[in-house]
Amino acid sequence: MTQNLRQDCQTDREFSALSPGYSGEDYAALEADIRAFGCRTPLFVWEGRIVDGHTRYEICTKWGIPFQTRSLSFPAREDAVLWICQRQLKKERLPDMLRRYLIGRLFTAEKDVAYRMQKQTADRTAFPHPRMQTGTRLGEQYGVSMHTIYKAGTLAAAIDHIRRREPELAGQILCGQISISYENVSVLARLSRDELRRLNRRLADSHKTHLNLADLKPAPPKKRSVGRPKKNAGIQTAIKEMPPYDPDAGIKSLGYTIPSWTGSIGRTFALTDFSAVSPEAEKEIRRQLRALCETAEAMLRAMDGSGKTPPP
């Protein structure tokens, strides 16, 4: 371990978002302890970025108190995220939404590591179906179904999307200050940055602590007053402005709809007596499932940069 000052470390927005902050009383108690006895627990860092100990770092830099660091080695960023999530999930009394979020981020990071391992080996059978295997393993670890793990991944992606647009609102949801159903988090993530900011201000003004579906509907556009037509109005209205191209639009839409397909397949899988299924029905669903797998594999290859081959 080495002793460091402020300039030797840097905070990382993604890493700090994975570490729940201290409440007012707990923060005051930690601050008093560090001021009285020094920082006795080292900060864990990776490539100069703090992965654990953000609050200790904040207090130490505030009061000019020396601290120690312990360097960690990870092959890539997703491995660091995996380590942080595993460490945070060992803590007790985590808010339910934060726990779901961390499990979702853990699932995504572990799945990404598995896909990376699959790409690095010539034997693809050594890491078959990384997503399904990761979901199954984490489901067994946390006592839930594989599809609940998938939903946690979708939830985490939605909250991260909200955080990029309105960080304060995302933080209030994770710590339990604002309650909202898991389904409505995805609806909330579809609001624009301005809509999220207006909603956050409205919540602060009204002291409301619960969001329901009615709260998430964007305000209707203001009606334009009918006045005297402007000069050359006919020419101007003939030129229709096209909305800007959003390269993420299709991907975001799939991110919200695929979990419903997965859930339907999972329910059918759990409730069906396959020995009683007719040969015609079995033949058709086999054809559809193979087509779905081939299309998904083609899209994964395109995202991995190994060629955008059109789906069959």
Side-chain angles (χ1 to χ4, degrees):
M1 292 189 294
T2 57
Q3 201 166 38
N4 291 275
L5 297 176
R6 181 173 182 171
Q7 61 267 24
D8 297 318
C9 294
Q10 57 180 319
T11 57
D12 184 283
R13 185 174 299 177
E14 181 182 16
F15 295 163
S16 61
L18 295 170
S19 303
Y22 283 74
S23 64
E25 293 182 358
D26 292 338
Y27 184 95
L30 178 62
E31 184 174 31
D33 182 81
I34 291 177
R35 291 190 67 188
F37 305 104
C39 187
R40 294 171 290 181
T41 304
L43 278 61
F44 291 90
V45 298
W46 170 63
E47 295 185 348
R49 301 179 181 90
I50 301 171
V51 294
D52 183 78
H54 296 87
T55 306
R56 299 192 299 278
Y57 175 74
E58 178 183 331
I59 294 171
C60 288
T61 53
K62 175 182 177 181
W63 296 103
I65 298 172
F67 55 86
Q68 292 182 322
T69 60
R70 179 175 296 171
S71 296
L72 301 175
S73 178
F74 299 114
R77 190 176 185 84
E78 59 263 24
D79 299 87
V81 171
L82 182 61
W83 184 89
I84 296 171
C85 291
Q86 289 172 335
R87 189 174 178 87
Q88 293 299 325
L89 283 165
K90 293 177 182 178
K91 296 183 177 180
E92 299 179 356
R93 298 183 301 166
L94 285 176
D96 185 62
M97 187 65 78
L98 176 59
R99 186 174 184 274
R100 286 274 191 126
Y101 170 77
L102 289 171
I103 290 175
R105 289 301 310 270
L106 176 65
F107 165 68
T108 302
E110 189 169 320
K111 172 175 59 68
D112 290 345
V113 170
Y115 273 116
R116 187 186 70 214
M117 299 290 289
Q118 187 186 65
K119 289 175 62 178
Q120 290 175 352
T121 179
D123 183 12
R124 291 297 180 93
T125 60
F127 300 94
H129 311 296
R131 183 174 185 271
M132 183 180 296
Q133 285 196 337
T134 302
T136 302
R137 193 194 69 75
L138 291 179
E140 293 173 352
Q141 179 178 346
Y142 292 103
V144 295
S145 70
M146 172 181 64
H147 306 293
T148 299
I149 298 296
Y150 290 167
K151 289 181 180 178
T154 303
L155 171 76
I159 289 180
D160 283 340
H161 190 67
I162 296 168
R163 190 199 305 281
R164 286 190 289 271
R165 296 181 172 189
E166 188 63 16
E168 182 182 4
L169 182 58
Q172 291 175 334
I173 291 172
L174 288 178
C175 71
Q177 292 179 355
I178 299 294
S179 62
I180 181 174
S181 69
Y182 303 126
E183 293 76 12
N184 285 342
V185 170
S186 294
V187 180
L188 183 64
R190 298 185 190 123
L191 299 182
S192 68
R193 178 178 282 103
D194 290 339
E195 289 167 342
L196 287 171
R197 288 176 177 173
R198 285 195 294 268
L199 175 61
N200 194 25
R201 287 196 296 268
R202 193 164 71 245
L203 288 172
D205 293 341
S206 64
H207 303 287
K208 189 173 182 180
T209 59
H210 178 76
L211 280 174
N212 52 42
L213 188 59
D215 298 317
L216 308 181
K217 293 180 179 179
K222 295 181 179 179
K223 294 183 179 180
R224 295 183 179 179
S225 58
V226 180
R228 185 176 179 180
K230 295 181 180 180
K231 187 178 180 180
N232 298 329
I235 298 176
Q236 292 177 356
T237 54
I239 304 174
K240 183 179 179 180
E241 292 186 4
M242 298 299 293
Y245 170 66
D246 183 2
D248 292 344
I251 295 295
K252 291 176 183 175
S253 177
L254 279 177
Y256 294 129
T257 56
I258 287 177
S260 66
W261 308 344
T262 306
S264 297
I265 293 173
R267 287 190 295 272
T268 304
F269 178 76
L271 299 174
T272 300
D273 179 5
F274 290 98
S275 63
V277 176
S278 68
E280 294 78 12
E282 181 180 343
K283 180 179 179 181
E284 176 62 18
I285 196 61
R286 282 179 179 273
R287 185 180 69 82
Q288 296 290 352
L289 287 173
R290 288 195 182 98
L292 179 61
C293 290
E294 290 171 358
T295 303
E297 287 295 332
M299 191 167 187
L300 287 171
R301 288 195 299 270
M303 289 188 294
D304 291 340
S306 55
K308 189 171 182 181
T309 306

